[in-house]
Amino acid sequence: MRGIRGLLGAGGARTRPARRTTAGVAALLAALVVALVPLPQGLDRAQAAEAESSAMTLSGTKGPYDDFSDLKVTVHQTEHLRQQGLEVSWTGGKETPIGTRFFNFLQIMQCWGDDPAGPEREQCVFGGTAPGGFLVDTWSRQLVKGTDPAETEYTEAEGFGQPFVPFRPVEGEPTDSAYDTTYFGPNDSNAEPMRTTQADGTGEAIFEVQTALEAPHLGCGATNGAGEPRNCWLVVVPRGDHEIEPSPDGRLDTSPLSRTNWDRRMVFPLAFDAVGDTCEPDKAERRVIGSELLTDAMSSWQTVLCSGAETRFSFTQAGEERARAAVTQPSGTSPGLAVTVDPVETAEGGPPVVHAPLAVSGLSIGFLWEDAGRPVPWVRDLKLTPRLIAKLLTQSYVSGVRQWNQSTEGPPGHLAGNPESLTRDPEFLELNPALEGSAARSAPYGIAVSGENSDLARLMWRYLQSDKDAREFLEGKPDPWGMKLNPYYADLALGTDTLDHFPKADPTETRSEGVGGMWAVYTGAEIVPYAENMHDAAQRVRRGYGGMAIDVGICQECPSGGKLSGERRPQGGRRVMGLADTASADRFLLDTAALPNADGEFVKPTNASLLKAVEQMKDSAVPGVKAPDPARATDGAYPLTAVAYAAGALDRSAAERKDFARLIRYAAGTGQTQGLAPGLLPPGYAPLPAAMREQAAEAATDLETGAVAAPGAGSGGAGSPGAGGADGTGADGGLSLTGSDAAGTAGGAGAREADPSAGPAGSAPPGATAATSGQEEKVASSGGLTPADVLGAIRWVLLGVLVAGAAAALAGPVMLRLSARKATATAG
């Protein structure tokens, strides 16, 4: 202490000022640290996700061989479910041996059932899939007679067959064989017959939950007479390294539906939001048409907007050109509001058009990549360059045009010298060295893309053209390893023209020989067929089935000479890519590829990267409506970001304009609160920045009053200097949403602006929790702030407080010294 006092001063009167001086300096240093140290990564995420708040964990039972005593399985979301990906994870399992697929795994299935104790085995979707094309009982509903002493119900079969557990649907007749595909089959079943466990006893799966719209035989989410949705179940049947009875071939050979295995099941209740049209049909309809980019958000908002109001909103997912025409060239039955990405320019002599930003989203390349021969049998992170994407979109890999394993012809001459597939491309392996030597010789064959025309297709081509390497490849220059553009794409001017679609220009036909003399003729368009829309592309990725329709080798009952329907690969060998909007990718919990922005930084779509891109957007041809420019995306911005705008003409009736203004106000207010509950902003969207929310509110006022505010008055209409948004997504060709449906859910209360009984603008619907799942953030409803925004503001406020405190701490000693000197001078 004496040494310290010597440094600070010997006398008490001088020690206190010295201490204050030291404290002031320390405060200034602390302020500097607070100002300069970056916020930790991830602070823009919610601290608690609503999905996790409904998570449930169950423990395994001992079983006859004590295989499952340590097993704990967690289903990470059990409420507010719709068709989506559902995370399932576990600990305490036994390792699944590498090189075999028949020991120590979990079998997962979705079931219906109204008994509170859980479903019966006849109510579960399982069967119809098989590993490697072999139909073994582990993957089926078949029970081999005499293998399970506890099985007393299904012990006999007709003829020479084996007994089986029939599937009994919510409505309809039970199935009549173990492989009856009346209700589900190999390509649309969501059962996961084999999910492996790692060496540390952990495992994970993303399970596709289906509603009554995708699986009417389950009926999940369908409403009863009281308007209550039907709930369902997730059943997990663990399988160990012992069979019910010793297996002669040393593997598990019995179905999970066999009584002894079924008795080891773990049952999780699943609460679904209502699906279908939940709004009264006798209300006046207000029709909205346009971009798929808004589908998930609109389907969440619809029923909320219906509650307590005299009108209902229907949304028809369609191409943006069709949506723009509905505004500029309307007929007597045209929808009154369009949702587009590129703006709706006012027709010559036509009424003014106002634009309101509604949602920030974008494009993702989602993927499912499994490789059963590796210690970790899945890939979660991929990097793709614009040139790699260009190669995939132009069928420049041999496997995108011809399947060598299905043909004796070899590669077509015009692709001679090109790699067989993405996984044989040196450029891809240089970026993703962990996949060197992958067993995935050919797949993925391409990217599943929507067949519709859309503004988002233009965005993708602009992204490819913004990259020098990709642009030169599209113009015909080979890559450094000698790979060249498929010549059938050479005349499409893809290096300069921004198409609104993705052509499949290679017409090459291949004759595929199958077993038993069967054959089929196919083109590349059947190797990776078009998806119906981006939601469908995301669903295909989650199922691990791109829709390939040429795999004759497993279609032993098909007639020769036709286009044969293929089956998806078994678990462990699924590798599929798809181009989806970020909301659909997040909905199905897809892994997404990291893409380079204009800085060369590889970025994935998150709230932070999407909003950073919005900040950098400049005006389109319509002032106030921002156009995405991938060439400008820097400093962590995601290059495929887009904003969906509502566009409405001022010549609609006053009643229509008032209702559409109510929709816009809700969407820009409460509708920007992120969460899973009906009425909130679904995961996959970033909240509108505060300036865009203000712009939307002003546009709603212009629409309702029928007049665009004078320049400088803050109008959100055409000509407004307010912040805007840009490029959006494609079409479904007329998918109509009238309430909660396959692309989302809804329910709650309306907006205060139109309904005094509703909560204040920006507040969550009654009973809703503003929270998120996946990579998305819980957002403060005022101003669209994320937690990172709030923490950033707090950081600078704290800086100011520390600086002020430091100044005060330093001022005291200085004043004391000055006063002491003055006193000394006076005394002298």
Side-chain angles (χ1 to χ4, degrees):
M1 290 297 294
R2 181 173 299 175
I4 296 176
R5 288 185 179 181
L7 290 172
L8 297 180
R14 295 194 61 184
T15 301
R16 284 190 294 270
R19 287 175 178 171
R20 294 189 185 111
T21 302
T22 304
V25 173
L28 282 174
L29 289 174
L32 185 63
V33 170
V34 169
L36 297 182
V37 174
L39 290 172
Q41 292 184 355
L43 282 182
D44 59 341
R45 296 188 177 191
Q47 296 304 307
E50 183 181 355
E52 291 292 342
S53 71
S54 65
M56 176 180 291
T57 300
L58 297 177
S59 298
T61 57
K62 182 176 181 180
Y65 299 103
D66 197 16
D67 280 354
F68 314 120
S69 294
D70 297 327
L71 181 66
K72 294 185 183 298
V73 178
T74 299
V75 173
H76 290 259
Q77 180 186 347
T78 60
E79 297 177 358
H80 290 306
L81 292 167
R82 50 184 180 158
Q83 187 203 19
Q84 64 176 80
L86 180 62
E87 182 181 0
V88 181
S89 64
W90 57 94
T91 61
K94 295 182 179 180
E95 180 182 6
T96 306
I98 297 176
T100 181
R101 309 172 68 184
F102 301 102
F103 294 109
N104 298 332
F105 53 85
L106 269 59
Q107 299 184 283
I108 310 173
M109 60 197 81
Q110 185 177 346
C111 314
W112 72 277
D114 300 327
D115 188 335
E120 300 172 356
R121 49 185 172 163
E122 296 84 356
Q123 297 170 316
C124 297
V125 170
F126 191 85
T129 59
F134 297 101
L135 298 179
V136 297
D137 300 318
T138 315
W139 273 257
S140 79
R141 307 184 72 87
Q142 183 168 282
L143 309 180
V144 178
K145 185 176 180 179
T147 58
D148 186 353
E151 182 59 59
T152 59
E153 186 173 4
Y154 299 106
T155 59
E156 301 295 335
E158 296 181 2
F160 296 99
Q162 295 287 351
F164 70 96
V165 178
F167 173 73
R168 187 173 70 248
V170 171
E171 295 181 0
E173 296 297 319
T175 54
D176 59 11
S177 79
Y179 299 101
D180 184 342
T181 59
T182 299
Y183 302 108
F184 54 86
N187 294 336
D188 59 2
S189 168
N190 63 348
E192 296 280 351
M194 191 279 301
R195 302 305 307 188
T196 59
T197 300
Q198 304 309 300
D200 61 358
T202 65
E204 61 179 294
I206 304 298
F207 185 89
E208 182 205 346
V209 178
Q210 297 180 347
T211 71
L213 297 177
E214 303 81 38
H217 45 278
L218 289 172
C220 308
T223 54
N224 57 22
E228 299 171 341
R230 177 189 294 278
N231 293 326
C232 284
W233 307 88
L234 192 76
V235 171
V236 176
V237 179
R239 307 299 298 273
D241 52 11
H242 299 92
E243 187 53 283
I244 298 171
E245 292 286 330
S247 175
D249 55 7
R251 66 182 187 182
L252 303 186
D253 263 340
T254 54
S255 169
L257 304 181
S258 189
R259 174 55 63 184
T260 295
N261 297 327
W262 180 253
D263 287 346
R264 303 276 77 78
R265 69 191 181 279
M266 306 162 79
V267 180
F268 298 84
L270 302 179
F272 283 78
D273 286 325
V275 297
D277 191 351
T278 57
C279 195
E280 296 85 346
D282 58 347
K283 291 186 176 183
E285 183 180 17
R286 300 293 183 235
R287 296 172 57 209
V288 184
I289 186 174
S291 176
E292 184 179 354
L293 196 68
L294 195 68
T295 299
D296 259 31
M298 188 67 184
S299 58
S300 176
W301 299 335
Q302 280 174 310
T303 303
V304 176
L305 290 163
C306 175
S307 177
E310 296 180 355
T311 55
R312 63 200 297 262
F313 293 95
S314 64
F315 178 69
T316 300
Q317 183 177 294
E320 289 92 341
E321 285 301 327
R322 178 181 168 191
R324 282 186 277 269
V327 175
T328 59
Q329 305 170 40
S331 66
T333 58
S334 293
L337 196 68
V339 178
T340 69
V341 176
D342 296 338
V344 180
E345 299 188 37
T346 301
E348 184 177 353
V353 176
V354 296
H355 291 81
L358 297 184
V360 175
S361 185
L363 272 178
S364 294
I365 296 182
F367 63 90
L368 174 67
W369 194 299
E370 298 174 337
D371 193 342
R374 303 175 69 86
V376 178
W378 56 76
V379 176
R380 305 302 301 272
D381 292 299
L382 284 179
K383 292 180 179 179
L384 294 177
T385 62
R387 183 165 58 196
L388 287 171
I389 298 171
K391 293 174 181 179
L392 288 163
L393 291 177
T394 57
Q395 299 176 285
S396 294
Y397 294 111
V398 175
S399 62
V401 174
R402 176 172 294 168
Q403 296 294 288
W404 286 358
N405 62 328
Q406 298 290 346
S407 170
T408 58
E409 298 182 40
H414 63 284
L415 294 181
N418 280 9
E420 180 186 352
S421 65
L422 180 70
T423 56
R424 294 296 178 265
D425 188 339
E427 180 180 3
F428 176 76
L429 294 175
E430 190 174 275
L431 269 179
N432 303 277
L435 292 176
E436 185 76 47
S438 170
R441 180 170 177 81
S442 295
Y445 307 121
I447 300 175
V449 296
S450 171
E452 298 293 337
N453 298 42
S454 71
D455 289 351
L456 274 189
R458 277 194 283 264
L459 173 59
M460 174 56 82
W461 290 117
R462 284 201 294 271
Y463 174 57
L464 302 185
Q465 293 161 5
S466 71
D467 178 80
K468 179 177 180 292
D469 291 340
R471 183 175 65 254
E472 290 181 346
F473 181 82
L474 292 171
E475 291 172 344
K477 180 180 178 180
D479 75 1
W481 299 272
M483 181 175 177
K484 57 186 180 296
L485 176 73
N486 186 326
Y488 284 105
Y489 289 81
D491 295 333
L492 299 182
L494 297 178
T496 55
D497 291 354
T498 53
L499 305 183
D500 66 352
H501 64 286
F502 299 105
K504 292 186 181 293
D506 193 328
T508 302
E509 291 188 345
T510 300
R511 179 183 170 106
S512 179
E513 300 291 344
V515 296
M518 295 181 300
W519 57 271
V521 174
Y522 66 89
T523 68
E526 290 160 289
I527 295 176
V528 186
Y530 281 115
E532 292 182 17
N533 47 56
M534 290 189 292
H535 176 89
D536 180 46
Q539 176 181 273
R540 291 187 186 191
V541 174
R542 173 48 54 215
R543 292 181 178 178
Y545 177 56
M548 186 172 69
I550 64 164
D551 201 348
V552 301
I554 58 176
C555 188
Q556 299 185 20
E557 297 178 0
C558 296
S560 298
K563 299 295 176 68
L564 306 179
S565 178
E567 293 183 357
R568 62 178 171 180
R569 288 171 173 262
Q571 290 175 21
R574 301 179 296 186
R575 291 170 289 275
V576 180
M577 285 183 174
L579 188 64
D581 58 296
T582 57
S584 293
D586 200 294
R587 176 177 183 153
F588 287 101
L589 299 183
L590 302 184
D591 294 313
T592 57
L595 307 178
N597 60 16
D599 286 338
E601 176 186 4
F602 281 86
V603 184
K604 292 186 179 183
T606 64
N607 275 6
S609 63
L610 292 172
L611 292 175
K612 176 65 71 171
V614 172
E615 288 178 10
Q616 299 169 358
M617 292 179 181
K618 299 299 182 182
D619 277 5
S620 65
V622 174
V625 178
K626 304 298 179 180
D629 184 356
R632 299 180 58 88
T634 60
D635 191 25
Y638 183 65
L640 296 180
T641 301
V643 181
Y645 282 84
L650 298 185
D651 64 344
R652 308 293 296 197
S653 70
E656 285 181 287
R657 288 186 281 106
K658 181 178 180 180
D659 286 333
F660 288 133
R662 179 168 69 91
L663 165 62
I664 292 170
R665 290 188 182 109
Y666 182 86
T670 301
Q672 292 303 309
T673 303
Q674 288 184 304
L676 301 175
L680 302 182
L681 188 68
Y685 294 97
L688 287 174
M692 280 191 168
R693 296 178 67 165
E694 293 172 6
Q695 180 188 5
E698 292 159 1
T701 299
D702 292 347
L703 194 61
E704 186 168 15
T705 60
V708 177
S715 167
S720 164
D727 237 306
T729 178
D732 168 27
L735 172 63
S736 181
L737 311 179
T738 53
S740 169
D741 90 339
T745 57
R752 175 172 292 277
E753 290 86 351
D755 182 2
S757 66
S763 63
T769 301
T772 66
S773 69
Q775 61 189 1
E776 301 310 331
E777 298 87 348
K778 182 176 180 180
V779 179
S781 60
S782 59
L785 296 177
T786 67
D789 298 325
V790 177
L791 288 171
I794 291 174
R795 175 169 64 172
W796 292 109
V797 170
L798 179 59
L799 173 62
V801 171
L802 289 172
V803 170
L810 291 171
V814 170
M815 293 302 295
L816 284 173
R817 291 177 181 176
L818 288 175
S819 63
R821 290 177 181 176
K822 183 176 181 181
T824 301
T826 302

